[in-house]
Amino acid sequence: MQEITENKEFKPLIVAFCCNWCSYAGADLAGSSRLSYPANVKIIRVPCSCRVNPIFILKAFQRGADGVILCGCHPGDCHYSEGNYRTRRRMSLLFSMLNYLGIEKERTRVEWVSAAEGAKFSAVMNDFVKTITALGENKKLEDLRCKSKN
Amino acid sequence: MENFDIEYIKEISRTDVRKCMKCGKCSGRCPAFNDMDIKPHQFVTLLGQGKFDVLLKSKAIFSCLSCMACVERCPRGVAPANVIEAVRDTVERMQNGNAIKAEDIPPIVDDLIPQQLLVSAYRKYRK
Amino acid sequence: MQRIGVFICHCGTNIAATVNVEKVTEALRKEPCVVFADNYQYMCSENGQQLIKNKIKEYNLTGIVVCACSPRMHEGTFRKTAEAAGLNPYMVEIANIREQCSWIHKDIDEATEKAVILGRTAIAKLTLNTPLTAGETGVTKRALVIGGGIAGIQCALDIADAGYEVDIVEKRPTIGGRMSQLDKTFPTLDCSACILTPKMVDCAQSEKIKLFTYSEVEEVKGFVGNFKVKIKKKARYVDETKCTGCGVCMANCPSKKGLNAFNMNLNTRPAIYIPFAQAIPNVAVIDPEQCIKLKTGKCGLCQMKCGVGAIDYTQKDEYVDREYGAIVVATGFKPIDLTNFNEYGYADNKDVITSLELERLMNAAGPTKGVLLRPSDNEHPKVITFIQCVGSRDVSGCGKPYCSKICCMYTAKHAMLIREKYPDTEVHVFYIDVRTPGKNYDEFYRRAVEQYGVDYIKGMVGKVYNENGKLMVQGSNLLDNTQVVIPSDLVVLATAIEPDPSVRDIASKLTISIDTNNFLTEAHAKLKPVECATAGVFLAGVCQGPKDVPETVSQASAAASKVIGLLAKDKLKGNPCVAHSDEMMCTGCSQCARVCPYGAITYEDKTFGRGANATVRRVAVVNPAVCQGCGACTVTCPSGAMDLHGFSSSQILKEIDFICKK
């Protein structure tokens, strides 16, 4: 048996989906206000949070992401009027099955960040990275074939 | 033994006093208004403020006819009569055995009691 | 195989200070498909753009990745640059290495590594980009305004003033709307008719404005810039072109018992009538439910008396097809039905009236010729009690949960006018809160109290009952904690307002979303208050939310400016990043149409295969001019037939791959 040693250098890989109108602009504001968050958060721009297919989230986990966060406009503020309501419904459905799939629920999150909330964006990301770091590496769903390529 | 406090009244009244917009329509409609030391809208306010002792000392709980006009008229879905009923129940239950002793009833409202308790019980349990 | 060029910006030191741009350039140069990579101090500068243009031509690039600031900043700039060099503008991807990298990280190695990953991800996405062309559609240079109240009138006048044609469709026989029923307007106490009728006349006289009164919108097809609308002109039984509005027919009509809706049914009118003296058009109309000739065939008095032969009992409903570039909805409001509020005795007492009824009772053209007389016995009321918030702010189910916004002000106006005209009258107002946000509004209300001595009572009325010929108003006075009973001669209810019921039908015809109170939903509560989610449709007036006259006028002008901006364009360039359906995979299940907030998806029966193998299937078709590219349908589609240009599923999956690549 191999002894498990705590890897202090563990840096989680976080995929963040941000809607173009609120959260991506919020991330830009965090940038222009120089509010830092860890470099392992990588943002993917989508037109609306409702563009995010639950498959994308599962795929990210399969590819080795340790956490996936989905950011959209505040309820009622969606640029497309009701997209984020659909996101909310779809994601609560997806999250309810995550444990069954072997992924801790805490590895995913939906956050509403407006274009004016640079500080919130940075705070959310810092908090999320902290949570994921505490949870450790996502080993369960990762595709072993992806790993062997390294 | 139950713990009688302001939360207890809130719970058994099943009324969310935060919904009240302080319009006073309950007191505007109340047929027993002039016989009450604490008015229907004040019951809601006092419950919100947590003034347990003030509520318990109220004599108005025995003047309320339980006619439910205030509940019927409230535009915000608050039920002042339920609050009054809850205070009344609390007073009764605090004196053991879920009942009130004859000597505890203020003499001034003696005549009113049987009828109003009957009416109240009727409204409460008919469903 | 694509030929990709990568351009890395220093942004002065903004990027270069924390990201080793040379290292990034080296790393990205090795990526598949990349044939050129370079860095420059300011990519967005004239020289930087020239560099990009030159390299596109020199290396015959099929796509470019710019690693620079946020795409929200300069995506448009670089797209134009690419287009100028002959590249499709949608073959440009931006890697955001400033806002999301150099500005937030301090460690150079860490930031450089992230910049490389972001660059790679952008390259990977670009390999799946396809050249997109924004579709162009023409614009019909004409606007439709639905509703001829003050909102519709103001909007139409503004659009006509800019030189465009406007049609107003009004379901009643005259334009003017609710404002024409008002006596005075707050906060200046202008006579409503004096300020409204000139605008109505302007509408009638404008060459650009065409009025369809006594008409309704029957059908709406098409999309922004190209709406096709069928208008139903209800039979008037009077030839509009001949009638002079002389009124001889009205005087001779034997059937005089029709309720006068313009006067809130407080008096009667003949079967053939002109709603009011200043009606536009000033043309009579016959009420078919009331006309003896139309019901029994015997009478025809008006036809005999009409000097110009305008009466035509054989008239039928007509349908007119018109085309429009933009549509403004201004359907207005009505006071709510008070049958649920029997505590105020509205149904049982003639002297319990709504504020709009009082408005008619005080108007010089009203049933009492402007003398305030109570309806039951035509006596001067000596004590008048107003009750505010009747049906407003009511979540019990009887009324409306919202604040109707105008009642506090019009009640103060009524109280003031009554005290001014009849100083011996006693006026009481029961209020919950007095809400007067607006220029000179609170001053107005205070004048009612301080100058005119109106008695404001903080409390609400519990019941109104009859006693000795008086209306007893029983309510609470919360400030001195008493119950008061005021014997009154007249009780006025500040009735809540709700959107006109016709709005539901209009909303479904135009696919405008509607809220739980039947108000139409604007595209954005703060930033797009007059636009609709449906492109080319705009809102004005109370159909969008409670509003007073000044606010309605501002919103109408705002809507007009949006319409003018739209009609000023010769071609509408769409956003090519829209949804598209793969008809081979589509099962025609209609899930996508159900989630589309814009009504952009329709279904067509298409034939697949030939000859004996031919099958007809129902497939989804996206109208690219209407689709806004949110992508809701792509996720809903169970067969995966729906995809989004510019943000396709394969592109996003590829981005995930490259971000997660270790």
Side-chain angles (χ1 to χ4, degrees):
Chain A
M1 260 204 28
Q2 211 180 345
E3 205 168 296
I4 300 163
T5 49
E6 201 184 321
N7 183 3
K8 289 223 165 107
E9 282 299 296
F10 170 62
K11 281 189 179 163
L13 178 64
I14 312 273
V15 177
F17 291 97
C18 291
C19 87
N20 183 40
W21 307 98
C22 286
S23 308
Y24 196 88
D28 279 354
L29 183 64
S32 45
S33 320
R34 311 295 198 277
L35 299 164
S36 72
Y37 50 89
N40 30 24
V41 176
K42 311 276 191 316
I43 296 173
I44 294 180
R45 184 163 72 127
V46 285
C48 175
S49 56
C50 72
R51 174 67 188 93
V52 177
N53 197 316
I55 291 290
F56 299 165
I57 291 171
L58 296 176
K59 195 79 172 176
F61 282 123
Q62 193 193 20
R63 292 296 190 211
D66 298 302
V68 180
I69 184 162
L70 176 50
C71 302
C73 310
H74 284 271
D77 283 354
C78 178
H79 180 78
Y80 304 102
S81 63
E82 52 198 37
N84 49 7
Y85 293 132
R86 304 198 186 286
T87 308
R88 189 160 65 179
R89 270 178 249 162
R90 283 170 190 159
M91 290 309 143
S92 57
L93 199 63
L94 173 71
F95 293 175
S96 69
M97 343 193 280
L98 281 181
N99 276 336
Y100 171 78
L101 293 170
I103 303 165
E104 295 90 335
K105 246 186 190 167
E106 293 73 29
R107 289 191 189 277
T108 48
R109 198 184 276 187
V110 176
E111 286 282 352
W112 310 129
V113 180
S114 82
E117 294 177 328
K120 182 178 176 188
F121 186 86
S122 146
V124 162
M125 289 305 157
N126 279 312
D127 182 65
F128 190 56
V129 169
K130 220 164 104 191
T131 313
I132 302 296
T133 311
L135 274 174
E137 213 177 327
N138 164 37
K139 293 191 178 119
K140 285 182 179 158
L141 196 75
E142 196 180 352
D143 191 336
L144 289 175
R145 288 167 302 175
C146 294
K147 203 151 227 186
S148 61
K149 280 182 193 164
N150 297 333
Chain B
M1 191 67 201
E2 272 160 313
N3 188 20
F4 297 108
D5 59 5
I6 197 79
E7 292 307 318
Y8 181 79
I9 300 182
K10 275 187 188 164
E11 196 196 323
I12 63 170
S13 70
R14 296 194 184 170
T15 296
D16 183 358
V17 293
R18 278 177 295 185
K19 283 186 185 166
C20 174
M21 66 169 174
K22 299 173 174 51
C23 68
K25 199 170 180 179
C26 44
S27 289
R29 181 64 188 86
C30 181
F33 184 92
N34 292 328
D35 297 329
M36 298 175 99
D37 56 348
I38 296 180
K39 313 299 184 191
H41 71 280
Q42 288 178 300
F43 271 96
V44 178
T45 310
L46 290 168
L47 181 57
Q49 291 170 338
K51 301 220 168 126
F52 186 61
D53 296 334
V54 181
L55 286 172
L56 287 199
K57 280 180 200 146
S58 162
K59 293 191 182 68
I61 52 176
F62 302 108
S63 335
C64 168
L65 301 170
S66 296
C67 72
M68 304 289 168
C70 49
V71 182
E72 188 65 26
R73 292 287 175 253
C74 178
R76 306 297 296 181
V78 186
N82 290 14
V83 176
I84 299 171
E85 183 71 30
V87 176
R88 188 154 55 206
D89 282 351
T90 308
V91 169
E92 286 169 11
R93 286 171 200 177
M94 280 172 81
Q95 316 205 15
N96 296 326
N98 219 356
I100 190 163
K101 288 180 194 130
E103 56 265 37
D104 296 328
I105 299 164
I108 190 165
V109 289
D110 255 6
D111 293 343
L112 297 169
I113 289 166
Q115 187 197 359
Q116 73 96 4
L117 280 186
L118 274 175
V119 171
S120 166
Y122 171 71
R123 288 186 189 276
K124 246 163 70 183
Y125 299 117
R126 70 177 165 172
K127 271 171 193 166
Chain C
M1 186 76 170
Q2 287 210 31
R3 298 170 59 78
I4 294 173
V6 182
F7 300 87
I8 297 126
C9 180
H10 297 203
C11 196
T13 56
N14 278 318
I15 292 170
T18 27
V19 171
N20 186 334
V21 283
E22 286 302 335
K23 253 187 174 169
V24 175
T25 315
E26 283 312 308
L28 295 184
R29 191 173 285 149
K30 291 186 197 123
E31 288 296 306
C33 298
V34 174
V35 293
F36 173 82
D38 200 1
N39 55 65
Y40 185 72
Q41 213 163 10
Y42 289 107
M43 268 310 161
C44 59
S45 69
E46 193 69 41
N47 289 343
Q49 293 191 44
Q50 197 53 51
L51 173 83
I52 296 176
K53 285 181 205 166
N54 292 343
K55 296 300 169 190
I56 290 174
K57 286 174 186 153
E58 192 181 327
Y59 286 87
N60 199 15
L61 300 177
T62 58
I64 59 167
V65 168
V66 185
C67 303
C69 55
S70 169
R72 291 174 57 86
M73 186 84 90
H74 277 313
E75 192 173 48
T77 315
F78 293 122
R79 278 188 175 157
K80 274 190 197 129
T81 312
E83 198 170 15
L87 201 62
N88 182 288
Y90 291 90
M91 295 303 285
V92 176
E93 284 299 327
I94 310 285
N96 185 346
I97 61 165
R98 192 178 75 174
E99 278 87 346
Q100 292 173 12
C101 188
S102 73
W103 271 355
I104 46 167
H105 306 315
K106 294 197 176 69
D107 186 276
I108 294 189
D109 291 339
E110 205 178 51
T112 307
E113 193 197 331
K114 183 172 177 180
V116 172
I117 293 175
L118 293 179
R120 267 186 198 146
T121 310
I123 295 168
K125 187 184 178 195
L126 179 60
T127 57
L128 295 172
N129 273 24
T130 45
L132 302 175
T133 323
E136 277 189 349
T137 48
V139 180
T140 309
K141 306 269 178 185
R142 188 188 298 130
L144 168 67
V145 175
I146 304 172
I150 180 61
I153 289 171
Q154 182 65 41
C155 190
L157 286 173
D158 285 359
I159 297 169
D161 198 33
Y164 296 104
E165 285 181 35
V166 201
D167 291 358
I168 298 180
V169 172
E170 166 61 55
K171 68 174 179 182
R172 295 191 185 85
T174 170
I175 58 169
R178 290 289 170 203
M179 192 177 167
S180 63
Q181 292 180 284
L182 305 183
D183 180 41
K184 299 278 191 300
T185 51
F186 58 78
T188 49
L189 297 181
D190 289 297
C191 147
S192 183
C194 310
I195 55 177
L196 177 66
T197 41
K199 281 186 184 289
M200 290 163 64
V201 173
D202 285 350
C203 280
Q205 288 176 347
S206 168
E207 285 174 8
K208 298 284 181 187
I209 301 177
K210 192 168 164 61
L211 298 177
F212 289 91
T213 50
Y214 211 48
S215 302
E216 279 169 29
V217 171
E218 185 71 16
E219 185 184 73
V220 181
K221 279 185 179 164
F223 48 90
V224 55
N226 298 279
F227 292 106
K228 292 179 176 57
V229 179
K230 191 189 280 291
I231 299 167
K232 174 181 163 186
K233 290 183 77 178
K234 293 181 275 188
R236 263 189 128 98
Y237 306 104
V238 175
D239 189 336
E240 270 184 82
T241 55
K242 287 183 188 161
C243 177
T244 58
C246 68
V248 170
C249 51
M250 290 167 74
N252 286 290
C253 180
S255 168
K256 291 195 190 298
K257 294 266 171 71
L259 287 175
N260 189 342
F262 181 75
N263 279 338
M264 300 309 291
N265 299 346
L266 289 169
N267 63 353
T268 54
R269 55 149 176 77
I272 184 164
Y273 66 101
I274 297 172
F276 56 98
Q278 301 92 345
I280 301 279
N282 196 7
V283 171
V285 56
I286 295 180
D287 181 349
E289 302 291 310
Q290 192 193 336
C291 174
I292 301 168
K293 172 78 179 175
L294 286 171
K295 271 164 63 184
T296 65
K298 288 173 201 150
C299 180
L301 254 177
C302 50
Q303 195 171 40
M304 273 186 266
K305 296 283 177 185
C306 181
V308 290
I311 315 288
D312 173 10
Y313 299 117
T314 61
Q315 223 177 52
K316 293 268 177 307
D317 292 352
E318 262 179 69
Y319 292 90
V320 184
D321 288 306
R322 301 277 281 177
E323 293 187 2
Y324 302 102
I327 298 177
V328 180
V329 184
T331 46
F333 72 96
K334 75 174 209 13
I336 63 163
D337 180 24
L338 288 174
T339 40
N340 284 334
F341 292 89
N342 53 4
E343 66 261 44
Y344 303 124
Y346 176 72
D348 308 328
N349 296 293
K350 273 188 156 182
D351 295 335
V352 178
I353 60 174
T354 68
S355 294
L356 202 50
E357 288 165 10
L358 179 69
E359 206 74 63
R360 294 316 302 154
L361 285 180
M362 311 226 331
N363 189 272
T368 55
K369 306 272 181 286
V371 186
L372 182 58
L373 302 173
R374 57 184 207 167
S376 63
D377 54 6
N378 282 334
E379 289 290 318
H380 272 294
K382 290 280 171 250
V383 180
I384 303 178
T385 305
F386 289 85
I387 305 173
Q388 294 211 241
C389 288
V390 173
S392 297
R393 309 167 70 196
D394 186 325
V395 293
S396 69
C398 302
K400 301 286 171 187
Y402 50 84
C403 166
S404 295
K405 201 171 186 175
I406 54 175
C407 327
C408 287
M409 284 301 286
Y410 69 59
T411 300
K413 173 188 78 177
H414 289 155
M416 205 185 278
L417 288 171
I418 290 169
R419 292 281 298 160
E420 162 107 11
K421 258 181 155 172
Y422 311 101
D424 59 333
T425 314
E426 202 180 303
V427 177
H428 306 275
V429 179
F430 279 95
Y431 73 99
I432 303 172
D433 302 291
V434 178
R435 297 181 165 179
T436 54
K439 192 174 161 188
N440 294 327
Y441 280 16
D442 201 63
E443 294 88 326
F444 183 83
Y445 150 60
R446 290 311 305 168
R447 236 167 74 211
V449 179
E450 293 165 23
Q451 196 177 328
Y452 290 93
V454 177
D455 174 33
Y456 270 75
I457 303 167
K458 161 77 189 160
M460 198 53 184
V461 171
K463 74 170 178 182
V464 176
Y465 56 98
N466 263 306
E467 204 173 274
N468 304 328
K470 288 270 185 190
L471 287 165
M472 309 301 275
V473 182
Q474 176 190 312
S476 58
N477 183 342
L478 296 181
L479 293 183
D480 60 10
N481 210 16
T482 53
Q483 198 175 57
V484 289
V485 180
I486 300 176
S488 315
D489 301 316
L490 188 68
V491 175
V492 185
L493 308 178
T495 314
I497 55 171
E498 65 180 350
D500 193 272
S502 60
V503 80
R504 286 206 75 89
D505 181 46
I506 299 282
S508 69
K509 279 176 182 150
L510 289 166
T511 63
I512 310 172
S513 58
I514 203 161
D515 69 14
T516 48
N517 298 315
N518 282 354
F519 288 115
L520 299 177
T521 315
E522 64 282 359
H524 190 282
K526 282 136 261 176
L527 300 176
K528 290 184 175 179
V530 298
E531 291 100 322
C532 267
T534 311
V537 180
F538 304 92
L539 307 174
V542 183
C543 64
Q544 182 256 346
K547 261 175 220 75
D548 55 23
V549 173
E551 257 185 285
T552 298
V553 171
S554 338
Q555 203 196 13
S557 287
S561 83
K562 292 285 168 191
V563 170
I564 295 163
L566 177 61
L567 297 187
K569 295 190 179 104
D570 288 323
K571 293 269 176 209
L572 288 180
K573 216 168 192 172
N575 166 21
C577 294
V578 292
H580 58 100
S581 158
D582 182 343
E583 56 189 30
M584 296 309 288
M585 284 161 81
C586 178
T587 57
C589 69
S590 352
Q591 296 281 3
C592 50
R594 241 171 264 155
V595 296
C596 181
Y598 307 101
I601 302 171
T602 49
Y603 292 88
E604 275 176 19
D605 287 325
K606 278 202 172 172
T607 314
F608 294 86
R610 278 186 195 169
N613 293 329
T615 48
V616 176
R617 278 197 294 123
R618 184 170 173 266
V619 291
V621 181
V622 180
N623 184 340
V626 182
C627 175
Q628 303 283 313
C630 69
C633 54
T634 59
V635 183
T636 302
C637 179
S639 59
M642 215 32 114
D643 210 346
L644 191 63
H645 281 306
F647 294 95
S648 70
S649 298
S650 55
Q651 281 178 314
I652 296 175
L653 289 171
K654 195 110 185 189
E655 282 181 273
I656 295 170
D657 270 1
F658 274 74
I659 284 177
C660 297
K661 213 174 191 178
K662 285 180 184 161

